[in-house]
Amino acid sequence: MDVLLLLAVQVHNCNAKKDETAFPHITPIKLQFFEYESISVDCVLDYSSEWRVMRKLKEVQTNTTQWETSTGIITIKPAFTSDSGEYWCENKDGERSNSVNITITAGDVILQSPMVPVIEGESVSLSCRNKMAVSNLPADFYKDGLLRSTGYKGDLHINTLSKSDEGLYKCSISGVGESPESRLTVRDTHITKSSKEIQESPAIPDTSSTNGFPDLSILLSVVFTILCVAVLLLVIGLYHCQKHRGGCFSSEMPGTDPITPWMMGRWREGGRFC
């Protein structure tokens, strides 16, 4: 039973890990694009089912499905500001990946940031890019509307990320313009939910006493304990039974027990009798 429980936990963890890491693959690898660029969205997540690209456009506010049944890839060429929106992958069974927000701007500045959540404790670099300039220009970086830092080579390096670094980032190049905002998400290294997630998540009813039945894990633990005790008692009983059948009586007999002549003869010969 323990083996079955461990296997169930491993399967659950594998599924959770897959759900957490499944994202559409964007080429080029960035979230912000200049208008008229070419963008490819790849939804080939596995070989077991067909995946399609789903998107929710910012202006239209409706879901639009793009199908590429053989490859699961769509290409936006050229890209316009109207193609900005939320993109994710979904199959015919209704399973879906995590989503990414793609922004296409008609301006001259974009912010290059990680597409997927970064792990707490790692480092990350943000880059401010000018459409026309060959080299990187100095840029100011903003987080949630407040100036965070100035990168004299157009880059912002954040070492040892924490949850406080999470937020909306944008950059500005003097005399050129500023980029749209993109969210930097920092994932907690702990497997369990943070206190904030627990507070925000809906209350889950306690199933330990539903319909008068105990929780399954508690029931399995009790059954396993009873079986262990039963096997232990059985082993002890067999041991004592075998010892009683193969053992010999001591020559010291109680005074009240009668001693037959045959017993006395056996006692004189060996001091013990069986």
Side-chain angles (χ1 to χ4, degrees):
M1 286 188 296
D2 282 352
V3 174
L4 293 176
L5 289 175
L6 289 174
L7 289 175
V9 171
Q10 290 293 334
V11 171
H12 174 74
N13 291 338
C14 290
N15 292 335
K17 183 178 181 181
K18 179 180 179 181
D19 294 338
E20 291 176 358
T21 58
F23 285 88
H25 186 266
I26 312 299
T27 306
I29 305 176
K30 55 184 180 180
L31 293 176
Q32 295 186 11
F33 297 85
F34 295 114
E35 202 171 26
Y36 307 115
E37 282 192 82
S38 176
I39 306 172
S40 175
V41 184
D42 184 347
C43 275
V44 183
L45 300 181
D46 57 40
Y47 299 98
S48 61
S49 58
E50 295 177 349
W51 292 82
R52 58 184 176 179
V53 179
M54 301 288 291
R55 64 178 181 175
K56 184 176 182 180
L57 304 181
K58 292 182 178 180
E59 296 182 358
V60 181
Q61 295 298 321
T62 57
N63 291 336
T64 303
T65 303
Q66 300 287 343
W67 265 102
E68 288 288 344
T69 57
S70 60
T71 60
I73 301 174
I74 65 168
T75 300
I76 306 172
K77 184 180 181 180
F80 298 99
T81 56
S82 58
D83 292 311
S84 299
E86 181 184 4
Y87 288 73
W88 68 93
C89 302
E90 188 171 319
N91 64 13
K92 61 182 180 181
D93 298 324
E95 298 175 331
R96 58 174 292 172
S97 70
N98 294 301
S99 61
V100 294
N101 287 292
I102 297 177
T103 302
I104 295 94
T105 178
D108 295 324
V109 179
I110 61 172
L111 174 69
Q112 293 184 352
S113 60
M115 286 179 45
V116 298
V118 288
I119 306 300
E120 189 176 15
E122 294 183 351
S123 60
V124 70
S125 294
L126 308 180
S127 301
C128 197
R129 296 292 176 257
N130 182 6
K131 184 177 182 179
M132 300 299 179
V134 177
S135 60
N136 298 332
L137 300 176
D140 294 325
F141 291 85
Y142 296 84
K143 174 182 174 292
D144 297 328
L146 300 177
L147 180 63
R148 168 70 184 261
S149 179
T150 298
Y152 294 98
K153 293 185 178 181
D155 297 320
L156 170 63
H157 301 284
I158 306 176
N159 297 318
T160 315
L161 282 163
S162 65
K163 294 294 288 184
S164 61
D165 294 312
E166 191 173 73
L168 290 172
Y169 285 80
K170 67 178 181 180
C171 65
S172 175
I173 298 177
S174 179
V176 179
E178 70 176 22
S179 72
E181 287 183 321
S182 285
R183 173 166 290 278
L184 176 66
T185 303
V186 180
R187 179 175 294 165
D188 195 346
T189 55
H190 296 88
I191 298 177
T192 56
K193 290 184 177 182
S194 63
S195 57
K196 180 179 179 180
E197 290 175 332
I198 294 175
Q199 292 174 0
E200 292 178 351
S201 61
I204 301 176
D206 184 9
T207 58
S208 60
S209 59
T210 303
N211 297 327
F213 292 99
D215 184 79
L216 179 60
S217 60
I218 299 177
L219 182 61
L220 290 176
S221 299
V222 172
V223 172
F224 181 74
T225 303
I226 293 174
L227 287 176
C228 288
V229 173
V231 171
L232 181 61
L233 292 176
L234 179 61
V235 171
I236 294 174
L238 290 175
Y239 173 76
H240 282 285
C241 181
Q242 186 68 23
K243 183 178 179 181
H244 176 72
R245 292 176 59 185
C248 295
F249 291 96
S250 173
S251 60
E252 297 179 358
M253 303 298 294
T256 57
D257 292 341
I259 301 178
T260 65
W262 178 84
M263 291 181 180
M264 290 296 295
R266 297 290 297 174
W267 176 63
R268 290 196 183 106
E269 292 177 2
R272 297 174 62 87
F273 61 90
C274 297

